[in-house]
Amino acid sequence: MTVRSEMLKLPNLPLWFQDTPRRPAMQQDSDCDVAIVGAGYTGLWTAYYLLKARPGLRVTLIDREHVGFGASGRNGGWASAIFPVSLHQVAKLSSHADALHLQAAMNDTVDEIGRVLAVEGIEADYAKQGLLSLARSAAQLERVAGTVGASAAFGLPDQWQALDAQAASAMVGVQGVRGGLYTQHCALIHPGKLVRGLARLVESLGATIHEDTPATRIAPRCVTTPNGQLRAPIVLRATEAFTCQQQGQKRSVVPLYSLVLATEPLSAELRAALKLDHRRAFNDLRHLRVYAQMTADGRLVFGGRGAPYRLGSKMTSDLVDGIHAKLHDTLVEFFPALRDARISHRWGGALGVARDFCPSVGLDEGTGMAWAGGYVGDGVATSNLAGRLLCNLILRRDEPINRLPIVNHRSPLWEREPLRWLGVNFGLTAAGIGDDEERLTGRPSRVARLLEALTGAH
């Protein structure tokens, strides 16, 4: 049996998953000070900062499945300072100064996560060694220069560093490297250890977590569940991609899928030969994004986008064999020596995308309804920033980060179907066409440039 055929028989089970006893479901009406729907990073970080700031606050989290069931337990493990919308687009939406403030806050957030883990004794395999984006074509190499130049002109000369072929190849042994783009503002984590550690931490601080407790209705001051109502003056919706399944929220975000593979642990000799004996995030500069990391136990985790959007924002746990096969092809393209390396895990999960690709955090003081999400796959770090912002908004604490342009930002609604299906899948197809165009022409893609102009994303 081939590596490919064995891989395609694997179930949808993240490498990060650990089967632990379920917390009891909510069984009756309950009252608290802050009710949080969703026990992923956003909800848990918010609970953490609230309880550190105000011990004794009654905070209750509920989740339809279990802690970390969604993107918090299925991501690729990058805690990066990447914001899904370009800073030029942020400046258009707000101001140049606000865009600089946002990037500084994202940079600080990568370090804040490491600080909390160290202070609280959570072992989540945190390692801050930066992010290397490889240029493997003339067009990608041109984007390296463009990114560094644009960042410096915007006022961030140290955000990115251009590397020549020799320097980039010395950092990771990917085939066909012509140069690279490096930033120090990225750390790697074990997503499962992080989300489970945060859950145990907030419980030790006094929070209550109910698993197997779906929210059938989320309304001001009251969350309805099958076994009772959870009443609170503040209700936080922290449901990311699953927000589109809630009443009145169908067009707020679209669920897009990211798919991931993990190899068996690689030998120390092989890791050294391939320059994979590090904990640095890496990818290349293609438009249809891929991402990779080496885990603390020596596995290569390799993921990417490309799974089609389903009509009506339908969400399933089905795997997309064709995309996993393409991911494996790309992994082998990067590292031909891993052609026969066994794939031990494969999985996929939905992430939330707002219509303008801009994450948001907010609180309606009139209704007590709070929200955060729409991270476009960059939520490992952004959710921590969201948790701190929500804590400030809920407790009415004034801090400089409260003026960030994502606070109380309202994204427009997505189009109705079938326009939504056509538009989203056109975007996914266009990203792939852009990569094909660059392979054929050797020049930056006009299709990709048009897509970036239409979305503001990068």
Side-chain angles (χ1 to χ4, degrees):
M1 187 177 294
T2 65
V3 169
R4 175 73 57 82
S5 59
E6 285 185 352
M7 175 188 74
L8 295 180
K9 289 184 177 181
L10 293 171
N12 187 7
L13 187 67
L15 169 67
W16 324 118
F17 177 75
Q18 183 181 87
D19 193 9
T20 56
R22 291 287 184 100
R23 295 167 173 85
M26 199 175 90
Q27 296 297 332
Q28 59 188 12
D29 288 354
S30 180
D31 295 278
C32 62
D33 298 312
V34 180
I36 300 175
V37 182
Y41 293 148
T42 299
L44 292 167
W45 280 123
T46 303
Y48 169 74
Y49 287 108
L50 284 170
L51 291 166
K52 293 295 282 190
R54 190 168 294 178
L57 198 71
R58 297 176 303 162
V59 179
T60 299
L61 301 93
I62 64 170
D63 199 282
R64 183 176 69 185
E65 299 288 344
H66 58 78
V67 163
F69 173 79
S72 298
R74 297 177 182 271
N75 62 82
W78 287 18
S80 84
I82 294 172
F83 193 73
V85 176
S86 71
L87 292 183
H88 287 283
Q89 183 68 12
V90 174
K92 289 179 182 178
L93 295 172
S94 186
S95 72
H96 183 265
D98 284 347
L100 290 174
H101 187 194
L102 177 61
Q103 187 61 70
M106 292 298 301
N107 294 350
D108 291 342
T109 295
V110 177
D111 295 326
E112 169 67 5
I113 292 171
R115 183 195 69 79
V116 172
L117 297 183
V119 168
E120 302 293 354
I122 296 177
E123 179 48 64
D125 299 343
Y126 177 95
K128 186 188 175 189
Q129 296 180 14
L131 161 64
L132 174 63
S133 293
L134 299 165
R136 302 175 62 241
S137 69
Q140 291 183 9
L141 192 59
E142 192 171 325
R143 276 202 293 285
V144 169
T147 298
V148 173
S151 183
F154 199 82
L156 295 166
D158 300 321
Q159 188 71 23
W160 297 97
Q161 176 187 354
L163 303 177
D164 62 20
Q166 182 177 2
S169 296
M171 295 176 76
V172 62
V174 171
Q175 294 291 298
V177 172
R178 299 189 181 194
L181 187 64
Y182 176 77
T183 177
Q184 63 176 316
H185 302 295
C186 182
L188 295 178
I189 54 98
H190 184 300
K193 290 181 180 180
L194 175 57
V195 77
R196 291 189 294 272
L198 284 175
R200 291 190 296 267
L201 176 58
V202 300
E203 286 177 316
S204 74
L205 294 173
T208 300
I209 302 176
H210 293 293
E211 297 178 315
D212 297 314
T213 303
T216 56
R217 185 170 181 267
I218 304 174
R221 302 175 181 85
C222 183
V223 180
T224 303
T225 78
N227 295 328
Q229 293 185 331
L230 178 60
R231 295 180 292 263
I234 301 293
V235 173
L236 166 60
R237 177 186 285 111
T239 47
E240 190 52 354
F242 299 99
T243 303
C244 67
Q245 297 182 329
Q246 296 158 16
Q247 183 178 359
Q249 298 293 323
K250 188 74 171 179
R251 295 164 56 200
S252 61
V253 297
V254 296
L256 295 185
Y257 276 74
S258 195
L259 304 180
V260 197
L261 304 173
T263 70
E264 62 188 346
L266 307 177
S267 70
E269 295 76 16
L270 184 55
R271 295 200 305 272
L274 298 177
K275 299 184 178 66
L276 288 174
D277 48 355
H278 57 75
R279 299 293 317 288
R280 185 181 305 110
F282 66 95
N283 63 1
D284 71 2
L285 287 165
R286 68 186 64 206
H287 299 289
L288 196 57
R289 185 184 296 186
V290 296
Y291 48 88
Q293 71 144 298
M294 291 300 297
T295 64
D297 64 348
R299 301 171 187 266
L300 174 61
V301 169
F302 200 95
R305 309 280 175 87
Y309 164 75
R310 299 179 175 95
L311 187 69
S313 296
K314 182 180 179 182
M315 295 176 68
T316 74
S317 60
D318 294 340
L319 298 171
V320 184
D321 288 352
I323 302 301
H324 274 118
K326 288 181 179 179
L327 278 175
H328 187 255
D329 288 341
T330 305
L331 185 158
V332 173
E333 175 193 323
F334 273 39
F335 302 106
L338 298 183
R339 182 178 302 276
D340 296 323
R342 187 175 70 88
I343 303 300
S344 62
H345 295 76
R346 69 160 179 161
W347 66 95
L351 51 95
V353 181
R355 178 62 181 83
D356 58 1
F357 288 78
C358 187
S360 62
V361 181
L363 171 65
D364 184 329
E365 293 190 355
T367 64
M369 290 292 296
W371 74 91
Y375 302 129
V376 199
D378 293 314
V380 178
T382 313
S383 59
N384 172 276
L385 178 59
R388 286 180 282 142
L389 287 166
L390 287 163
C391 173
N392 288 347
L393 295 175
I394 291 168
L395 300 183
R396 297 186 176 181
R397 301 196 314 178
D398 186 23
E399 293 185 359
I401 59 171
N402 295 14
R403 264 79 71 189
L404 290 174
I406 62 174
V407 175
N408 289 321
H409 171 74
R410 297 279 188 172
S411 298
L413 295 177
W414 280 95
E415 289 77 5
R416 299 182 184 278
E417 298 290 22
L419 292 178
R420 186 161 75 244
W421 180 87
L422 289 168
V424 174
N425 284 318
F426 166 77
L428 291 169
T429 301
I433 290 173
D435 290 325
D436 291 338
E437 179 188 350
E438 291 185 350
R439 278 191 288 269
L440 288 171
T441 67
R443 296 188 300 273
S445 167
R446 294 181 179 180
V447 172
R449 191 179 301 123
L450 174 62
L451 183 62
E452 290 176 7
L454 289 172
T455 64
H458 65 136

